[in-house]
Amino acid sequence: MGAGALLDSVTNVFIRVRSDDGVCGYGEAATWNLFSSETPEGICQVSEKLIGPSLVGRDVLDLNGCRSVLDRAIVGNPAAKNAVETALYDLAARSLGVPVYTLLGGLRRHDLGLSYSVSAQDVALEADLVQARYEEGYRIFKLKTGVRDWRTDAARIASLAGRYDDVSIRLDFNCAGDPLAVHRLLGAVADVPIDYVEQPFAPEHHQPLRRLRRSFPVPLCADEGCRTPADARALLADGSYDLISLKPGKLGGYGTVGQIAAAAALHGVYGYAGAFEESRLGTTAALHQMLTLPLLADGCDYYFSLVILDPEQGPHGGFEVRDGRLSLPREPGLGVTVPDGWFD
């Protein structure tokens, strides 16, 4: 997945919050060791021993108050806080009989295009993978670059661009870009329209980023370089990025994502719907917020539960797929069903 291989399996944490009248809300924490310092075991410990007891007796509709409780319970732990906050919003929305996106301000758009991350690093193999996704309606492809030499990446980009005239191409280095190689690559594919380049260098490499921005007009997207509101403020003040990848599990939930997205919009910086390896529950939860944000680039990395997970296992319902685009049904809460037996 993306810049690194997953293990034989991944372990996600599913959280249930229940009110006195028996209504339940659900949330999910998905951690990927390349991005997160949290572990499934740690998330369970933090949620059950610290966050959970602090929420007992709270009003289920006092979402801001509950969020303050989460932040007072422990510093950091964004994946755990995101999962609990998601469950609280699901619970509150179910109690009111409205979709979660209503509590987040209402829809600004009705759907979002699916993006597929192309990471096999082999032209022939990637051709087959892209063809399969193209036939399913995908029209946005993000090539994971910087793993092989720049000439190989140039060949991969040219191959994709040469097969289709109706696709959007994005590049994601996941901090793996060598400054000289990135310049050579972008120069070699200058005739290919590139939507944007995501996190070409490590967050601390400011000078290579500025030189890249001066040399090429391609927009730049921050991901690993924006993990906290403080990171976002610094990025927006610096002005080097045109987009920020908004992953609720990375940033800590609806509240933090909303604050960063609003600040970014004031600077003319777009949000982007990034993802980890969430199931249908976590993906649907994120989509509820993405469709409400003021300034959002089309596309989302929400293919994991569609392409990799067994659709017969796990949560059901939630987002709908049509012609490579995701939308939400108008159902109370997140609209996702989670087996209660998981929590016994």
Side-chain angles (χ1 to χ4, degrees):
M1 179 183 178
L6 292 168
L7 302 175
D8 291 336
S9 63
V10 294
T11 301
N12 291 0
V13 179
F14 293 85
I15 289 179
R16 180 180 65 186
V17 177
R18 184 162 46 202
S19 66
D20 288 341
D21 57 5
V23 179
C24 294
Y26 301 91
E28 178 182 7
T31 62
W32 190 19
N33 62 316
L34 293 180
F35 288 88
S36 176
S37 61
E38 295 170 88
T39 65
E41 295 78 11
I43 291 169
C44 290
Q45 183 79 3
V46 166
S47 301
E48 293 177 345
K49 303 300 183 183
L50 295 176
I51 294 177
S54 67
L55 290 171
V56 173
R58 304 287 308 189
D59 183 350
V60 298
L61 300 183
D62 182 16
L63 294 171
N64 285 336
C66 289
R67 176 68 209 204
S68 296
V69 168
L70 300 188
D71 289 333
R72 289 197 301 269
I74 189 171
V75 174
N77 290 269
K81 289 179 179 178
N82 171 59
V84 174
E85 187 176 43
T86 296
L88 291 170
Y89 269 80
D90 189 27
L91 171 58
R94 289 174 188 262
S95 299
L96 295 171
V98 300
V100 164
Y101 59 71
T102 300
L103 301 183
L104 294 169
L107 297 178
R108 292 176 183 265
R109 55 193 61 80
H110 294 285
D111 60 14
L112 202 56
L114 275 166
S115 172
Y116 181 71
S117 292
V118 184
S119 57
Q121 308 299 326
D122 177 89
V123 173
L125 180 56
E126 288 179 349
D128 293 337
L129 291 172
V130 169
Q131 180 65 31
R133 300 289 87 81
Y134 186 88
E135 292 175 356
E136 294 169 1
Y138 289 69
R139 293 296 182 271
I140 303 171
F141 295 95
K142 182 189 290 186
L143 273 73
K144 296 293 184 172
T145 41
V147 177
R148 304 283 298 275
D149 63 274
W150 69 268
R151 290 182 177 83
T152 300
D153 281 338
R156 295 169 62 221
I157 295 168
S159 175
L160 176 56
R163 288 196 305 274
Y164 309 101
D165 58 6
D166 61 343
V167 301
S168 296
I169 299 176
R170 293 141 186 207
L171 309 182
D172 186 3
F173 285 86
N174 287 112
C175 302
D178 172 82
L180 185 56
V182 172
H183 276 254
R184 287 172 170 168
L185 172 62
L186 293 183
V189 298
D191 59 336
V192 176
I194 303 295
D195 280 4
Y196 64 77
V197 174
E198 185 171 334
Q199 201 68 54
F201 311 117
E204 63 272 17
H205 292 168
H206 302 294
Q207 290 302 326
L209 187 70
R210 294 190 180 103
R211 289 196 297 269
L212 181 66
R213 192 165 186 85
R214 288 196 301 266
S215 301
F216 297 97
V218 62
L220 301 176
C221 177
D223 183 7
E224 291 89 340
C226 185
R227 299 176 183 270
T228 67
D231 290 340
R233 289 193 294 272
L235 291 177
L236 295 173
D238 180 75
S240 293
Y241 287 100
D242 305 278
L243 305 95
I244 296 176
S245 180
L246 301 173
K247 300 175 180 176
K250 176 186 70 174
L251 297 171
Y254 287 147
T256 308
V257 169
Q259 293 169 13
I260 291 175
L266 291 176
H267 287 77
V269 173
Y270 284 71
Y272 178 72
F276 293 149
E277 71 277 11
E278 291 92 349
S279 74
R280 183 171 279 266
L281 173 61
T283 299
T284 298
L287 186 63
H288 270 270
Q289 183 167 41
M290 295 301 122
L291 295 180
T292 71
L293 297 181
L295 206 59
L296 190 75
D298 193 30
C300 61
D301 297 337
Y302 294 168
Y303 63 89
F304 191 85
S305 64
L306 293 169
V307 176
I308 298 174
L309 298 183
D310 182 349
E312 298 303 317
Q313 302 295 321
H316 297 281
F319 66 79
E320 299 174 342
V321 186
R322 177 174 297 177
D323 297 328
R325 303 190 67 82
L326 297 183
S327 61
L328 291 168
R330 185 173 178 80
E331 295 183 14
L334 295 174
V336 179
T337 301
V338 181
D340 277 323
W342 286 10
F343 303 94
D344 293 338

